[in-house]
Amino acid sequence: MKHVTIKDVAKRLNVSISSVSRAFNDKYDIKKETKELILKTAEEMGYFPNPIAKKLSQNKTFNIGVVVPEFINEYYSEIIIGIQEVFMAHGYQVLIAQSDEKPEIELKNVKTLIHSMVDGLIIAPTMDSGNMEYYLKELNAGYPIVFMSRVKETLEASKVYFNNKKWAFFAAEHLIRQRYKNIYYLAGYKSLNVSIDRIEGFKRAMNKHKIPKENYKVIETGLLAEEGMQVIEDLIYNHDLPDAIFCFNDRVAMGAIAKLKSNGIKVPEDIAVMGFTETRMVDLITPKLSSVKQPTFDMGKNAAELLFKQINNSLMEPQTIVLNGELTIRESSVRN
Amino acid sequence: MKHVTIKDVAKRLNVSISSVSRAFNDKYDIKKETKELILKTAEEMGYFPNPIAKKLSQNKTFNIGVVVPEFINEYYSEIIIGIQEVFMAHGYQVLIAQSDEKPEIELKNVKTLIHSMVDGLIIAPTMDSGNMEYYLKELNAGYPIVFMSRVKETLEASKVYFNNKKWAFFAAEHLIRQRYKNIYYLAGYKSLNVSIDRIEGFKRAMNKHKIPKENYKVIETGLLAEEGMQVIEDLIYNHDLPDAIFCFNDRVAMGAIAKLKSNGIKVPEDIAVMGFTETRMVDLITPKLSSVKQPTFDMGKNAAELLFKQINNSLMEPQTIVLNGELTIRESSVRN
DNA sequence: ACCGTTTCCGGTATCGTTTCCGGTAAAATA
DNA sequence: TATTTTACCGGAAACGATACCGGAAACGGT
């Protein structure tokens, strides 16, 4: 049960502790034979360098922290996998915390992670939180942080995000090209940075194609299917139905479709629906859902690589990476 | 940038290191006033105890490891959230690794985690792997491990799992009670422990209700929607369609439904479909999917609590917790 | 034979904490 | 008043590794 330490190995072979250490980190002078002998007996004795001790003496934990709003949905799960792939290859452990969309919890998580001495942080902020001041303070103190996904363009820090404006524009334009005349955008939370950008993209498409102001609308929903359903219910109640709906995400879209169908409204014959942030479900529902795919995996990888560079001081200036996606038209948004 | 250490605080107040240490872990003799003074100035100086050093001297990392097959789907995500809730409340960090359903990667992850000195492990094994010997060796050496979800009943270790037999039985019985006569079970991977149990539950229901052997079938699929689609395609090709289908999970069920619908076969009018391991999607698809809900969150919490007890030596005998679920009948499996 | 350069290795300080041990002074007891 | 407790505190030894320093041996060239 007792752990084998470097001393035990040294004593066994009558060599010094230093020699054993050198054998394991082969950057120093050591004779090939002694090195091999040491490694061999260490193996036999079941010795491996104690990572905690290593962390202490090097003042590095080889841990990084990731704070996301949630990872129930595949979006952040996939991002995390991208991050893990990069960092595990470098021998790092990735600590994951979720803020449950609450800025207070996010801040608490960040502080916990910093206190547990992670070498760097990747943060996907919740709503546009007051936490930014705190993060910027840490950044200025030289702490490596990369922001991800829900970030302001103007933020003075390394960041990776999706070009929401552009792809919301494309999605909206697609609906216009399909000759839908009344288009509503179910916009998620308006206070979310990504929402603001997508609304802008949506409006830009409306303007470009000279859709009159009274023919489109931006309606605040939430992020959940239930909230999509609620909005549709309200619209039905108010006899205020458009002929096309563009949704903040696939969940909202699926909620909307379900509610429309249960009211005998056909998709896309009566009303077209377009999702966003494509999920695996798009092909499995009827009608198949048009959506914009985000490169989740790449977002994680890019953020991780930026952070890794920052940790190793090979990145001097904050860098921004803006990612593009893919618009796939399926059944839910086409005229027959 | 330089970290404030216990020494700095001690020097500042002209007290000994020990006193500062005592102030932070209030189990030793220390005068109330000195303690408060120390804590106050420490706060001012921005000092907090270096967790790494603490880990080293206590020979504990306050980290635990969790190895799951994947966390793209909500099932394991929710379990992980349950685990995190318990351990974060005790000041632990949770390290998450995924095996991508591959036993080799699972073993590699477990070894990495053990080498990084986690205080305990929670493992949701992939397929019935040869790794068990290794795990049992570690268990016998006194290493705290709790198994979860995909476990053999007979395993001599602490474990938490869902009563698959029972609830597969209930699900199958429901289909029988709806007067479906030909029932096929799309069984996931047959080598999976949970599969074996669900098959047994399924067959038990068939036997109890004296369904003739030629009227039911167990077909191996995988875990993915695409694999459900593939099986349905084969059945259609072979003109071998039952009047009810029970699926290993909701993904397979949704794949099956999609394929049936695209071939003009109506669900549930022509063929009923039943899922398992309920997902959030059940209410959003047409028809709404009947399924068995597993208490994912509780599974995580229970596993975590077992592990926590093991770590603190307050659990002498391995303990087994078998969880029950909830069968919700929706549109996909009822006669009109 | 002499010297300089490599190659190899051991000793020791250091990292930041906890914990054990011992000591002093005040308080409680006889 | 004399003696024993108690409360409080400081010193120093772990914990397990790495980094630095300096010394010894080996080697090759003149």
Side-chain angles (χ1 to χ4, degrees), chain A residues 1 48 51-52 56 61 71-72 77-78 81 84 93 95-96 98 115-116 141 254 261 280-281 284 286, chain B residues 1 48 51-52 56 61 71-72 77-78 81 84 93 95-96 98 115-116 141 254 261 280-281 286:
Chain A
M1 198 53 231
F48 56 92
I52 317 266
L56 181 63
T61 61
F71 52 85
I72 290 283
S77 298
E78 288 171 5
I81 291 171
Q84 278 190 331
Q93 297 277 359
L95 301 180
I96 303 159
Q98 49 180 351
H115 276 201
S116 80
M254 288 178 68
K261 279 162 92 174
R280 286 186 170 68
M281 288 299 131
L284 299 175
T286 348
Chain B
M1 201 50 235
F48 57 92
I52 316 268
L56 180 63
T61 61
F71 52 85
I72 290 283
S77 297
E78 288 171 4
I81 291 171
Q84 277 190 333
Q93 296 277 359
L95 302 180
I96 303 160
Q98 49 180 352
H115 275 203
S116 80
M254 289 179 67
K261 280 162 92 176
R280 286 186 170 70
M281 290 298 131
T286 344

Side-chain angles (χ1 to χ4, degrees), chain B residues 272-329:
Chain B
V273 174
M274 162 76 84
F276 210 93
T277 313
E278 190 169 300
T279 59
R280 286 186 170 70
M281 290 298 131
V282 286
D283 283 324
L284 299 176
I285 59 173
T286 344
K288 290 179 182 164
L289 183 64
S290 299
S291 194
V292 172
K293 184 167 187 163
Q294 288 197 40
T296 47
F297 193 75
D298 279 349
M299 176 145 7
K301 279 182 80 166
N302 280 307
E305 276 156 10
L306 280 185
L307 183 64
F308 187 71
K309 284 186 198 158
Q310 263 190 54
I311 288 174
N312 296 300
N313 293 318
S314 58
L315 187 72
M316 287 304 127
E317 292 293 305
Q319 198 177 326
T320 296
I321 298 179
V322 182
L323 296 170
N324 280 299
E326 210 173 301
L327 171 62
T328 306
I329 307 306

